[in-house]
Amino acid sequence: MAYVEEKQFKYPAEEECLVRRLGSAVIAAWPHLPREVQETIFAEAKTVWDREHFVSKLPSKLDAIIRRRHA
């Protein structure tokens, strides 16, 4: 797996619909991804810029959305 650089991913507002679509695709494919890839995605998700710059309990909320989709 490639090394993940420590930097914040930012996107312009007009690309938010694209970022949401990619996020939805990742959630759909989640059970088929290797554990190492899942861990990398979670690590990256913590660094993404968003209008909601502080989300309490972010890791557990990310886990919950994936579990809801694959329950």
Side-chain angles (χ1 to χ4, degrees), residues 2-57:
Y3 174 73
V4 177
E5 289 185 37
E6 292 291 327
K7 63 180 180 180
Q8 196 175 52
F9 173 70
K10 292 186 177 185
Y11 55 88
E14 63 269 14
E15 291 181 357
E16 188 166 343
C17 66
L18 305 173
V19 173
R20 282 196 312 267
R21 287 171 185 262
L22 284 172
S24 294
V26 167
I27 292 168
W30 192 260
H32 309 291
L33 300 174
R35 184 71 185 153
E36 182 180 276
V37 173
Q38 292 175 347
E39 290 170 1
T40 300
I41 291 170
F42 265 134
E44 284 291 313
K46 293 176 187 177
T47 69
V48 174
W49 172 88
D50 194 279
R51 289 178 293 205
E52 300 292 329
H53 60 276
F54 177 76
V55 178
S56 65
K57 301 178 184 176

